[in-house]
Amino acid sequence: DAMVIQNPRYQVTQFGKPVTLSCSQTLNHNVMYWYQQKSSQAPKLLFHYYDKDFNNEADTPDNFQSRRPNTSFCFLDIRSPGLGDAAMYLCATSRDIEETQYFGPGTRLLVL
Amino acid sequence: AQSVTQLGSHVSVSEGALVLLRCNYSSSVPPYLFWYVQYPNQGLQLLLKYTTGATLVKGINGFEAEFKKSETSFHLTKPSAHMSDAAEYFCAVSDTRGNNRLAFGKGNQVVVIP
């Protein structure tokens, strides 16, 4: 089945130690998104890629970066995780802008 | 900018009773509207969406929602709650002017009482 895959499902890192979260898709969608969802809050868009074009949200901290080496994969890099970055990170894809977004299962990040 | 209001973070409903989750939106352009469901430690699953056309939209698991432009609402209903409906539900609005930025409400945690 076509789907959005996130690895790992759970990630533990240390304060200040760089961490990378992975997202892959078999849908061949043009757009990939990263959302941050803190406990009991709504998902918040960090950035998205339309093909190779990167679109950062104005309030996304510089600590968060992203890479999309090809259509199928997109990575979220947190350069120096703080305790406040502990959250669920959701990847989503859509065939094009203005089309429905499909979400992966998420990666729960714990920062010690 | 668009925004969504969902009142009542926790909603309790008896098994077999009507489920009603309210969503009001603010948008400067005709909106696309969505309901997503999230089970514990999982991602978001699309329940239903409204883009254009018929204002009563049917989704998965027996849910439906009606777009009412005059009331700027998109309330979600299900006639008879099932235990498996216990989850968190998010309403979202998308700016149709080409950036596809989803704005989510704060969510409703639904508890189904046997």
Side-chain angles (χ1 to χ4, degrees), chain A residues 9-10 33 35 37 42-43 57 94 97-101 103-105 108, chain B residues 32 36 38 41-44 46 49 90 96-102 104-105:
Chain A
R9 294 293 312 277
Y10 298 89
Y33 310 79
Y35 289 83
Q37 185 182 21
E57 293 299 296
S94 64
I97 296 294
E98 296 187 9
E99 304 237 10
T100 301
Q101 295 182 30
F103 285 78
R108 184 166 294 281
Chain B
Y32 288 176
Y36 285 89
Q38 186 177 33
N41 293 314
Q42 295 190 23
L44 302 175
L46 181 67
K49 65 179 180 181
F90 290 96
T96 60
R97 286 184 295 182
N99 59 32
N100 209 28
R101 186 175 289 112
L102 277 179
F104 286 90

PDB file of all heavy atoms in Angstrom, chain A residues 9-10 33 35 37 42-43 57 94 97-101 103-105 108, chain B residues 32 36 38 41-44 46 49 90 96-102 104-105:
ATOM      1  N   ARG A   9      10.016   5.411  15.289  1.00  0.00           N
ATOM      2  CA  ARG A   9       8.756   5.838  15.908  1.00  0.00           C
ATOM      3  C   ARG A   9       9.022   6.548  17.230  1.00  0.00           C
ATOM      4  O   ARG A   9       8.269   7.448  17.622  1.00  0.00           O
ATOM      5  CB  ARG A   9       7.844   4.629  16.151  1.00  0.00           C
ATOM      6  CG  ARG A   9       7.346   3.953  14.873  1.00  0.00           C
ATOM      7  CD  ARG A   9       6.389   4.861  14.092  1.00  0.00           C
ATOM      8  NE  ARG A   9       5.357   5.445  14.931  1.00  0.00           N
ATOM      9  CZ  ARG A   9       4.238   4.808  15.262  1.00  0.00           C
ATOM     10  NH1 ARG A   9       4.007   3.578  14.842  1.00  0.00           N
ATOM     11  NH2 ARG A   9       3.337   5.423  16.016  1.00  0.00           N
ATOM     12  N   TYR A  10      10.072   6.152  17.893  1.00  0.00           N
ATOM     13  CA  TYR A  10      10.467   6.786  19.153  1.00  0.00           C
ATOM     14  C   TYR A  10      11.971   7.078  19.079  1.00  0.00           C
ATOM     15  O   TYR A  10      12.751   6.231  18.641  1.00  0.00           O
ATOM     16  CB  TYR A  10      10.171   5.886  20.354  1.00  0.00           C
ATOM     17  CG  TYR A  10       8.705   5.583  20.516  1.00  0.00           C
ATOM     18  CD1 TYR A  10       8.126   4.478  19.881  1.00  0.00           C
ATOM     19  CD2 TYR A  10       7.881   6.404  21.273  1.00  0.00           C
ATOM     20  CE1 TYR A  10       6.786   4.205  20.014  1.00  0.00           C
ATOM     21  CE2 TYR A  10       6.526   6.136  21.406  1.00  0.00           C
ATOM     22  CZ  TYR A  10       5.987   5.038  20.773  1.00  0.00           C
ATOM     23  OH  TYR A  10       4.653   4.773  20.905  1.00  0.00           O
ATOM     24  N   TYR A  33       5.801  17.805   4.175  1.00  0.00           N
ATOM     25  CA  TYR A  33       5.661  18.753   5.277  1.00  0.00           C
ATOM     26  C   TYR A  33       6.220  18.138   6.566  1.00  0.00           C
ATOM     27  O   TYR A  33       6.132  16.940   6.780  1.00  0.00           O
ATOM     28  CB  TYR A  33       4.186  19.072   5.544  1.00  0.00           C
ATOM     29  CG  TYR A  33       3.362  19.468   4.351  1.00  0.00           C
ATOM     30  CD1 TYR A  33       2.865  18.510   3.467  1.00  0.00           C
ATOM     31  CD2 TYR A  33       3.030  20.796   4.122  1.00  0.00           C
ATOM     32  CE1 TYR A  33       2.081  18.871   2.376  1.00  0.00           C
ATOM     33  CE2 TYR A  33       2.238  21.163   3.046  1.00  0.00           C
ATOM     34  CZ  TYR A  33       1.774  20.196   2.173  1.00  0.00           C
ATOM     35  OH  TYR A  33       0.992  20.567   1.106  1.00  0.00           O
ATOM     36  N   TYR A  35       5.585  18.778  10.714  1.00  0.00           N
ATOM     37  CA  TYR A  35       4.830  19.438  11.775  1.00  0.00           C
ATOM     38  C   TYR A  35       5.419  19.040  13.125  1.00  0.00           C
ATOM     39  O   TYR A  35       5.896  17.922  13.317  1.00  0.00           O
ATOM     40  CB  TYR A  35       3.362  18.989  11.774  1.00  0.00           C
ATOM     41  CG  TYR A  35       2.524  19.496  10.632  1.00  0.00           C
ATOM     42  CD1 TYR A  35       2.524  18.867   9.393  1.00  0.00           C
ATOM     43  CD2 TYR A  35       1.700  20.607  10.808  1.00  0.00           C
ATOM     44  CE1 TYR A  35       1.732  19.328   8.359  1.00  0.00           C
ATOM     45  CE2 TYR A  35       0.899  21.076   9.782  1.00  0.00           C
ATOM     46  CZ  TYR A  35       0.922  20.425   8.563  1.00  0.00           C
ATOM     47  OH  TYR A  35       0.139  20.879   7.537  1.00  0.00           O
ATOM     48  N   GLN A  37       4.174  18.639  17.071  1.00  0.00           N
ATOM     49  CA  GLN A  37       2.987  18.591  17.921  1.00  0.00           C
ATOM     50  C   GLN A  37       3.414  18.346  19.361  1.00  0.00           C
ATOM     51  O   GLN A  37       3.849  17.246  19.714  1.00  0.00           O
ATOM     52  CB  GLN A  37       2.022  17.500  17.468  1.00  0.00           C
ATOM     53  CG  GLN A  37       0.724  17.486  18.254  1.00  0.00           C
ATOM     54  CD  GLN A  37      -0.224  16.376  17.836  1.00  0.00           C
ATOM     55  OE1 GLN A  37       0.192  15.382  17.248  1.00  0.00           O
ATOM     56  NE2 GLN A  37      -1.497  16.543  18.139  1.00  0.00           N
ATOM     57  N   ALA A  42      -2.233  21.351  19.174  1.00  0.00           N
ATOM     58  CA  ALA A  42      -2.453  21.079  17.759  1.00  0.00           C
ATOM     59  C   ALA A  42      -1.114  20.999  17.030  1.00  0.00           C
ATOM     60  O   ALA A  42      -0.127  21.611  17.455  1.00  0.00           O
ATOM     61  CB  ALA A  42      -3.311  22.182  17.146  1.00  0.00           C
ATOM     62  N   PRO A  43      -1.052  20.267  15.945  1.00  0.00           N
ATOM     63  CA  PRO A  43       0.176  20.267  15.128  1.00  0.00           C
ATOM     64  C   PRO A  43       0.480  21.660  14.600  1.00  0.00           C
ATOM     65  O   PRO A  43      -0.433  22.410  14.230  1.00  0.00           O
ATOM     66  CB  PRO A  43      -0.167  19.315  13.982  1.00  0.00           C
ATOM     67  CG  PRO A  43      -1.292  18.476  14.489  1.00  0.00           C
ATOM     68  CD  PRO A  43      -2.069  19.358  15.403  1.00  0.00           C
ATOM     69  N   GLU A  57       8.500  28.224   7.644  1.00  0.00           N
ATOM     70  CA  GLU A  57       7.542  29.093   8.333  1.00  0.00           C
ATOM     71  C   GLU A  57       8.323  30.179   9.078  1.00  0.00           C
ATOM     72  O   GLU A  57       9.429  29.941   9.576  1.00  0.00           O
ATOM     73  CB  GLU A  57       6.687  28.287   9.307  1.00  0.00           C
ATOM     74  CG  GLU A  57       5.750  27.311   8.621  1.00  0.00           C
ATOM     75  CD  GLU A  57       4.764  27.997   7.721  1.00  0.00           C
ATOM     76  OE1 GLU A  57       3.928  28.784   8.203  1.00  0.00           O
ATOM     77  OE2 GLU A  57       4.832  27.765   6.489  1.00  0.00           O
ATOM     78  N   SER A  94       1.489  15.736   0.192  1.00  0.00           N
ATOM     79  CA  SER A  94       0.330  15.982  -0.660  1.00  0.00           C
ATOM     80  C   SER A  94       0.804  15.958  -2.108  1.00  0.00           C
ATOM     81  O   SER A  94       1.952  16.285  -2.399  1.00  0.00           O
ATOM     82  CB  SER A  94      -0.366  17.309  -0.333  1.00  0.00           C
ATOM     83  OG  SER A  94       0.470  18.413  -0.594  1.00  0.00           O
ATOM     84  N   ILE A  97       0.222  21.367  -4.085  1.00  0.00           N
ATOM     85  CA  ILE A  97      -0.324  22.393  -3.212  1.00  0.00           C
ATOM     86  C   ILE A  97      -1.832  22.426  -3.431  1.00  0.00           C
ATOM     87  O   ILE A  97      -2.303  22.240  -4.547  1.00  0.00           O
ATOM     88  CB  ILE A  97       0.313  23.755  -3.543  1.00  0.00           C
ATOM     89  CG1 ILE A  97       1.817  23.712  -3.235  1.00  0.00           C
ATOM     90  CG2 ILE A  97      -0.348  24.868  -2.771  1.00  0.00           C
ATOM     91  CD1 ILE A  97       2.156  23.568  -1.783  1.00  0.00           C
ATOM     92  N   GLU A  98      -2.591  22.661  -2.375  1.00  0.00           N
ATOM     93  CA  GLU A  98      -4.056  22.704  -2.375  1.00  0.00           C
ATOM     94  C   GLU A  98      -4.669  21.311  -2.428  1.00  0.00           C
ATOM     95  O   GLU A  98      -5.871  21.172  -2.587  1.00  0.00           O
ATOM     96  CB  GLU A  98      -4.619  23.546  -3.540  1.00  0.00           C
ATOM     97  CG  GLU A  98      -4.249  25.007  -3.452  1.00  0.00           C
ATOM     98  CD  GLU A  98      -4.950  25.841  -4.516  1.00  0.00           C
ATOM     99  OE1 GLU A  98      -5.839  25.320  -5.202  1.00  0.00           O
ATOM    100  OE2 GLU A  98      -4.607  27.021  -4.656  1.00  0.00           O
ATOM    101  N   GLU A  99      -3.864  20.283  -2.294  1.00  0.00           N
ATOM    102  CA  GLU A  99      -4.414  18.934  -2.233  1.00  0.00           C
ATOM    103  C   GLU A  99      -4.315  18.392  -0.809  1.00  0.00           C
ATOM    104  O   GLU A  99      -3.552  18.876   0.012  1.00  0.00           O
ATOM    105  CB  GLU A  99      -3.668  18.014  -3.211  1.00  0.00           C
ATOM    106  CG  GLU A  99      -3.684  18.529  -4.627  1.00  0.00           C
ATOM    107  CD  GLU A  99      -4.265  17.541  -5.604  1.00  0.00           C
ATOM    108  OE1 GLU A  99      -4.840  16.523  -5.190  1.00  0.00           O
ATOM    109  OE2 GLU A  99      -4.153  17.785  -6.815  1.00  0.00           O
ATOM    110  N   THR A 100      -5.086  17.369  -0.550  1.00  0.00           N
ATOM    111  CA  THR A 100      -5.171  16.805   0.792  1.00  0.00           C
ATOM    112  C   THR A 100      -3.813  16.315   1.284  1.00  0.00           C
ATOM    113  O   THR A 100      -3.052  15.704   0.535  1.00  0.00           O
ATOM    114  CB  THR A 100      -6.168  15.642   0.800  1.00  0.00           C
ATOM    115  OG1 THR A 100      -7.440  16.138   0.381  1.00  0.00           O
ATOM    116  CG2 THR A 100      -6.292  15.033   2.193  1.00  0.00           C
ATOM    117  N   GLN A 101      -3.530  16.589   2.563  1.00  0.00           N
ATOM    118  CA  GLN A 101      -2.299  16.120   3.177  1.00  0.00           C
ATOM    119  C   GLN A 101      -2.532  14.779   3.860  1.00  0.00           C
ATOM    120  O   GLN A 101      -3.517  14.595   4.573  1.00  0.00           O
ATOM    121  CB  GLN A 101      -1.809  17.145   4.198  1.00  0.00           C
ATOM    122  CG  GLN A 101      -1.404  18.475   3.553  1.00  0.00           C
ATOM    123  CD  GLN A 101      -0.868  19.477   4.534  1.00  0.00           C
ATOM    124  OE1 GLN A 101      -0.276  19.122   5.556  1.00  0.00           O
ATOM    125  NE2 GLN A 101      -1.058  20.751   4.233  1.00  0.00           N
ATOM    126  N   PHE A 103      -0.783  11.984   6.448  1.00  0.00           N
ATOM    127  CA  PHE A 103       0.194  12.000   7.517  1.00  0.00           C
ATOM    128  C   PHE A 103       0.798  10.626   7.781  1.00  0.00           C
ATOM    129  O   PHE A 103       0.130   9.594   7.652  1.00  0.00           O
ATOM    130  CB  PHE A 103      -0.463  12.500   8.818  1.00  0.00           C
ATOM    131  CG  PHE A 103      -0.707  13.988   8.829  1.00  0.00           C
ATOM    132  CD1 PHE A 103      -1.781  14.534   8.142  1.00  0.00           C
ATOM    133  CD2 PHE A 103       0.151  14.827   9.505  1.00  0.00           C
ATOM    134  CE1 PHE A 103      -1.996  15.906   8.151  1.00  0.00           C
ATOM    135  CE2 PHE A 103      -0.061  16.198   9.524  1.00  0.00           C
ATOM    136  CZ  PHE A 103      -1.136  16.735   8.840  1.00  0.00           C
ATOM    137  N   GLY A 104       2.063  10.641   8.196  1.00  0.00           N
ATOM    138  CA  GLY A 104       2.699   9.444   8.714  1.00  0.00           C
ATOM    139  C   GLY A 104       2.337   9.238  10.172  1.00  0.00           C
ATOM    140  O   GLY A 104       1.641  10.061  10.770  1.00  0.00           O
ATOM    141  N   PRO A 105       2.835   8.153  10.784  1.00  0.00           N
ATOM    142  CA  PRO A 105       2.484   7.828  12.168  1.00  0.00           C
ATOM    143  C   PRO A 105       3.184   8.702  13.207  1.00  0.00           C
ATOM    144  O   PRO A 105       2.791   8.699  14.374  1.00  0.00           O
ATOM    145  CB  PRO A 105       2.920   6.379  12.309  1.00  0.00           C
ATOM    146  CG  PRO A 105       4.024   6.229  11.325  1.00  0.00           C
ATOM    147  CD  PRO A 105       3.675   7.113  10.165  1.00  0.00           C
ATOM    148  N   ARG A 108       8.026  10.226  18.054  1.00  0.00           N
ATOM    149  CA  ARG A 108       7.996  10.905  19.354  1.00  0.00           C
ATOM    150  C   ARG A 108       9.425  11.094  19.827  1.00  0.00           C
ATOM    151  O   ARG A 108      10.167  10.133  19.984  1.00  0.00           O
ATOM    152  CB  ARG A 108       7.196  10.110  20.372  1.00  0.00           C
ATOM    153  CG  ARG A 108       7.062  10.830  21.707  1.00  0.00           C
ATOM    154  CD  ARG A 108       6.023  10.225  22.604  1.00  0.00           C
ATOM    155  NE  ARG A 108       4.674  10.357  22.089  1.00  0.00           N
ATOM    156  CZ  ARG A 108       3.936  11.458  22.157  1.00  0.00           C
ATOM    157  NH1 ARG A 108       4.442  12.553  22.711  1.00  0.00           N
ATOM    158  NH2 ARG A 108       2.703  11.473  21.690  1.00  0.00           N
TER     159      ARG A 108
ATOM    160  N   TYR B  32     -10.867  25.500   2.370  1.00  0.00           N
ATOM    161  CA  TYR B  32     -10.967  24.050   2.352  1.00  0.00           C
ATOM    162  C   TYR B  32     -10.971  23.635   3.826  1.00  0.00           C
ATOM    163  O   TYR B  32     -10.176  24.140   4.613  1.00  0.00           O
ATOM    164  CB  TYR B  32      -9.774  23.408   1.650  1.00  0.00           C
ATOM    165  CG  TYR B  32      -9.725  23.576   0.158  1.00  0.00           C
ATOM    166  CD1 TYR B  32      -8.639  23.113  -0.567  1.00  0.00           C
ATOM    167  CD2 TYR B  32     -10.748  24.198  -0.551  1.00  0.00           C
ATOM    168  CE1 TYR B  32      -8.550  23.244  -1.946  1.00  0.00           C
ATOM    169  CE2 TYR B  32     -10.679  24.346  -1.929  1.00  0.00           C
ATOM    170  CZ  TYR B  32      -9.584  23.867  -2.629  1.00  0.00           C
ATOM    171  OH  TYR B  32      -9.504  24.010  -3.985  1.00  0.00           O
ATOM    172  N   TYR B  36      -9.565  15.623  11.023  1.00  0.00           N
ATOM    173  CA  TYR B  36      -8.625  14.527  11.181  1.00  0.00           C
ATOM    174  C   TYR B  36      -8.855  13.875  12.542  1.00  0.00           C
ATOM    175  O   TYR B  36      -9.227  14.542  13.515  1.00  0.00           O
ATOM    176  CB  TYR B  36      -7.184  15.031  11.133  1.00  0.00           C
ATOM    177  CG  TYR B  36      -6.654  15.401   9.770  1.00  0.00           C
ATOM    178  CD1 TYR B  36      -6.817  16.694   9.264  1.00  0.00           C
ATOM    179  CD2 TYR B  36      -5.966  14.475   8.990  1.00  0.00           C
ATOM    180  CE1 TYR B  36      -6.309  17.034   8.012  1.00  0.00           C
ATOM    181  CE2 TYR B  36      -5.460  14.806   7.745  1.00  0.00           C
ATOM    182  CZ  TYR B  36      -5.632  16.084   7.265  1.00  0.00           C
ATOM    183  OH  TYR B  36      -5.128  16.425   6.024  1.00  0.00           O
ATOM    184  N   GLN B  38      -6.897  11.386  15.524  1.00  0.00           N
ATOM    185  CA  GLN B  38      -5.596  10.913  15.974  1.00  0.00           C
ATOM    186  C   GLN B  38      -5.776   9.959  17.134  1.00  0.00           C
ATOM    187  O   GLN B  38      -6.267  10.352  18.195  1.00  0.00           O
ATOM    188  CB  GLN B  38      -4.703  12.092  16.372  1.00  0.00           C
ATOM    189  CG  GLN B  38      -3.278  11.694  16.719  1.00  0.00           C
ATOM    190  CD  GLN B  38      -2.392  12.884  17.037  1.00  0.00           C
ATOM    191  OE1 GLN B  38      -2.836  13.888  17.586  1.00  0.00           O
ATOM    192  NE2 GLN B  38      -1.115  12.791  16.680  1.00  0.00           N
ATOM    193  N   ASN B  41      -0.566   7.967  20.227  1.00  0.00           N
ATOM    194  CA  ASN B  41       0.769   7.693  19.681  1.00  0.00           C
ATOM    195  C   ASN B  41       0.755   7.359  18.193  1.00  0.00           C
ATOM    196  O   ASN B  41       1.606   6.600  17.716  1.00  0.00           O
ATOM    197  CB  ASN B  41       1.446   6.564  20.469  1.00  0.00           C
ATOM    198  CG  ASN B  41       1.753   6.985  21.888  1.00  0.00           C
ATOM    199  OD1 ASN B  41       2.266   8.073  22.114  1.00  0.00           O
ATOM    200  ND2 ASN B  41       1.399   6.152  22.834  1.00  0.00           N
ATOM    201  N   GLN B  42      -0.202   7.912  17.490  1.00  0.00           N
ATOM    202  CA  GLN B  42      -0.267   7.723  16.043  1.00  0.00           C
ATOM    203  C   GLN B  42      -0.382   9.058  15.334  1.00  0.00           C
ATOM    204  O   GLN B  42      -0.606  10.091  15.948  1.00  0.00           O
ATOM    205  CB  GLN B  42      -1.441   6.816  15.680  1.00  0.00           C
ATOM    206  CG  GLN B  42      -1.310   5.395  16.209  1.00  0.00           C
ATOM    207  CD  GLN B  42      -2.349   4.473  15.629  1.00  0.00           C
ATOM    208  OE1 GLN B  42      -2.897   4.716  14.553  1.00  0.00           O
ATOM    209  NE2 GLN B  42      -2.622   3.389  16.331  1.00  0.00           N
ATOM    210  N   GLY B  43      -0.209   9.010  14.019  1.00  0.00           N
ATOM    211  CA  GLY B  43      -0.358  10.218  13.227  1.00  0.00           C
ATOM    212  C   GLY B  43      -1.811  10.566  13.006  1.00  0.00           C
ATOM    213  O   GLY B  43      -2.711   9.952  13.567  1.00  0.00           O
ATOM    214  N   LEU B  44      -2.025  11.558  12.159  1.00  0.00           N
ATOM    215  CA  LEU B  44      -3.374  12.016  11.870  1.00  0.00           C
ATOM    216  C   LEU B  44      -3.960  11.249  10.684  1.00  0.00           C
ATOM    217  O   LEU B  44      -3.288  11.052   9.679  1.00  0.00           O
ATOM    218  CB  LEU B  44      -3.356  13.507  11.534  1.00  0.00           C
ATOM    219  CG  LEU B  44      -2.791  14.435  12.605  1.00  0.00           C
ATOM    220  CD1 LEU B  44      -2.733  15.855  12.089  1.00  0.00           C
ATOM    221  CD2 LEU B  44      -3.629  14.361  13.856  1.00  0.00           C
ATOM    222  N   LEU B  46      -7.138  11.239   7.961  1.00  0.00           N
ATOM    223  CA  LEU B  46      -8.188  12.084   7.413  1.00  0.00           C
ATOM    224  C   LEU B  46      -9.546  11.410   7.571  1.00  0.00           C
ATOM    225  O   LEU B  46      -9.748  10.281   7.129  1.00  0.00           O
ATOM    226  CB  LEU B  46      -7.919  12.359   5.936  1.00  0.00           C
ATOM    227  CG  LEU B  46      -8.929  13.249   5.223  1.00  0.00           C
ATOM    228  CD1 LEU B  46      -8.871  14.676   5.776  1.00  0.00           C
ATOM    229  CD2 LEU B  46      -8.672  13.248   3.716  1.00  0.00           C
ATOM    230  N   LYS B  49     -13.340  15.764   4.253  1.00  0.00           N
ATOM    231  CA  LYS B  49     -12.915  17.105   3.835  1.00  0.00           C
ATOM    232  C   LYS B  49     -13.999  17.758   3.004  1.00  0.00           C
ATOM    233  O   LYS B  49     -14.822  17.088   2.361  1.00  0.00           O
ATOM    234  CB  LYS B  49     -11.622  17.029   3.020  1.00  0.00           C
ATOM    235  CG  LYS B  49     -11.770  16.290   1.701  1.00  0.00           C
ATOM    236  CD  LYS B  49     -10.459  16.281   0.933  1.00  0.00           C
ATOM    237  CE  LYS B  49     -10.623  15.537  -0.388  1.00  0.00           C
ATOM    238  NZ  LYS B  49      -9.346  15.478  -1.157  1.00  0.00           N
ATOM    239  N   PHE B  90      -9.257  16.692  15.285  1.00  0.00           N
ATOM    240  CA  PHE B  90      -8.792  18.029  14.933  1.00  0.00           C
ATOM    241  C   PHE B  90      -9.536  18.528  13.700  1.00  0.00           C
ATOM    242  O   PHE B  90      -9.628  17.820  12.690  1.00  0.00           O
ATOM    243  CB  PHE B  90      -7.297  18.024  14.613  1.00  0.00           C
ATOM    244  CG  PHE B  90      -6.415  17.790  15.797  1.00  0.00           C
ATOM    245  CD1 PHE B  90      -5.945  16.517  16.088  1.00  0.00           C
ATOM    246  CD2 PHE B  90      -6.050  18.832  16.632  1.00  0.00           C
ATOM    247  CE1 PHE B  90      -5.122  16.285  17.179  1.00  0.00           C
ATOM    248  CE2 PHE B  90      -5.229  18.616  17.728  1.00  0.00           C
ATOM    249  CZ  PHE B  90      -4.772  17.336  17.998  1.00  0.00           C
ATOM    250  N   THR B  96      -6.885  28.463   0.450  1.00  0.00           N
ATOM    251  CA  THR B  96      -6.998  27.939  -0.909  1.00  0.00           C
ATOM    252  C   THR B  96      -6.209  28.741  -1.917  1.00  0.00           C
ATOM    253  O   THR B  96      -6.273  28.485  -3.094  1.00  0.00           O
ATOM    254  CB  THR B  96      -8.469  27.910  -1.352  1.00  0.00           C
ATOM    255  OG1 THR B  96      -8.980  29.238  -1.306  1.00  0.00           O
ATOM    256  CG2 THR B  96      -9.280  27.012  -0.464  1.00  0.00           C
ATOM    257  N   ARG B  97      -5.435  29.728  -1.441  1.00  0.00           N
ATOM    258  CA  ARG B  97      -4.733  30.564  -2.399  1.00  0.00           C
ATOM    259  C   ARG B  97      -3.360  30.027  -2.752  1.00  0.00           C
ATOM    260  O   ARG B  97      -2.491  30.752  -3.170  1.00  0.00           O
ATOM    261  CB  ARG B  97      -4.618  31.991  -1.857  1.00  0.00           C
ATOM    262  CG  ARG B  97      -5.941  32.720  -1.918  1.00  0.00           C
ATOM    263  CD  ARG B  97      -5.801  34.154  -1.478  1.00  0.00           C
ATOM    264  NE  ARG B  97      -5.428  34.246  -0.077  1.00  0.00           N
ATOM    265  CZ  ARG B  97      -5.275  35.403   0.553  1.00  0.00           C
ATOM    266  NH1 ARG B  97      -5.449  36.530  -0.094  1.00  0.00           N
ATOM    267  NH2 ARG B  97      -4.946  35.416   1.818  1.00  0.00           N
ATOM    268  N   GLY B  98      -3.172  28.764  -2.555  1.00  0.00           N
ATOM    269  CA  GLY B  98      -1.998  28.138  -3.153  1.00  0.00           C
ATOM    270  C   GLY B  98      -0.872  27.760  -2.231  1.00  0.00           C
ATOM    271  O   GLY B  98       0.128  27.235  -2.680  1.00  0.00           O
ATOM    272  N   ASN B  99      -0.977  28.012  -0.938  1.00  0.00           N
ATOM    273  CA  ASN B  99       0.143  27.595  -0.105  1.00  0.00           C
ATOM    274  C   ASN B  99      -0.171  26.360   0.737  1.00  0.00           C
ATOM    275  O   ASN B  99       0.718  25.803   1.349  1.00  0.00           O
ATOM    276  CB  ASN B  99       0.616  28.736   0.806  1.00  0.00           C
ATOM    277  CG  ASN B  99      -0.489  29.238   1.718  1.00  0.00           C
ATOM    278  OD1 ASN B  99      -1.363  28.498   2.126  1.00  0.00           O
ATOM    279  ND2 ASN B  99      -0.428  30.518   2.057  1.00  0.00           N
ATOM    280  N   ASN B 100      -1.446  25.956   0.770  1.00  0.00           N
ATOM    281  CA  ASN B 100      -1.816  24.712   1.427  1.00  0.00           C
ATOM    282  C   ASN B 100      -1.401  24.657   2.884  1.00  0.00           C
ATOM    283  O   ASN B 100      -1.165  23.594   3.428  1.00  0.00           O
ATOM    284  CB  ASN B 100      -1.224  23.501   0.697  1.00  0.00           C
ATOM    285  CG  ASN B 100      -2.104  22.276   0.872  1.00  0.00           C
ATOM    286  OD1 ASN B 100      -3.304  22.385   1.059  1.00  0.00           O
ATOM    287  ND2 ASN B 100      -1.502  21.120   0.819  1.00  0.00           N
ATOM    288  N   ARG B 101      -1.285  25.802   3.527  1.00  0.00           N
ATOM    289  CA  ARG B 101      -0.895  25.811   4.928  1.00  0.00           C
ATOM    290  C   ARG B 101      -2.118  25.450   5.760  1.00  0.00           C
ATOM    291  O   ARG B 101      -3.126  26.140   5.742  1.00  0.00           O
ATOM    292  CB  ARG B 101      -0.382  27.203   5.301  1.00  0.00           C
ATOM    293  CG  ARG B 101       0.188  27.313   6.704  1.00  0.00           C
ATOM    294  CD  ARG B 101       0.778  28.691   6.908  1.00  0.00           C
ATOM    295  NE  ARG B 101       2.014  28.869   6.136  1.00  0.00           N
ATOM    296  CZ  ARG B 101       2.121  29.686   5.114  1.00  0.00           C
ATOM    297  NH1 ARG B 101       1.079  30.392   4.705  1.00  0.00           N
ATOM    298  NH2 ARG B 101       3.261  29.810   4.480  1.00  0.00           N
ATOM    299  N   LEU B 102      -2.034  24.338   6.505  1.00  0.00           N
ATOM    300  CA  LEU B 102      -3.138  23.904   7.340  1.00  0.00           C
ATOM    301  C   LEU B 102      -3.058  24.580   8.701  1.00  0.00           C
ATOM    302  O   LEU B 102      -2.023  24.517   9.367  1.00  0.00           O
ATOM    303  CB  LEU B 102      -3.101  22.397   7.543  1.00  0.00           C
ATOM    304  CG  LEU B 102      -3.696  21.497   6.464  1.00  0.00           C
ATOM    305  CD1 LEU B 102      -3.530  20.038   6.869  1.00  0.00           C
ATOM    306  CD2 LEU B 102      -5.149  21.816   6.214  1.00  0.00           C
ATOM    307  N   PHE B 104      -4.703  24.242  12.334  1.00  0.00           N
ATOM    308  CA  PHE B 104      -5.479  23.289  13.115  1.00  0.00           C
ATOM    309  C   PHE B 104      -6.131  23.974  14.308  1.00  0.00           C
ATOM    310  O   PHE B 104      -5.585  24.910  14.896  1.00  0.00           O
ATOM    311  CB  PHE B 104      -4.563  22.183  13.647  1.00  0.00           C
ATOM    312  CG  PHE B 104      -4.124  21.195  12.615  1.00  0.00           C
ATOM    313  CD1 PHE B 104      -2.970  21.400  11.882  1.00  0.00           C
ATOM    314  CD2 PHE B 104      -4.856  20.035  12.389  1.00  0.00           C
ATOM    315  CE1 PHE B 104      -2.553  20.481  10.937  1.00  0.00           C
ATOM    316  CE2 PHE B 104      -4.444  19.113  11.448  1.00  0.00           C
ATOM    317  CZ  PHE B 104      -3.296  19.335  10.716  1.00  0.00           C
ATOM    318  N   GLY B 105      -7.287  23.447  14.708  1.00  0.00           N
ATOM    319  CA  GLY B 105      -7.835  23.798  16.001  1.00  0.00           C
ATOM    320  C   GLY B 105      -7.083  23.068  17.091  1.00  0.00           C
ATOM    321  O   GLY B 105      -6.209  22.239  16.818  1.00  0.00           O
TER     322      GLY B 105
END
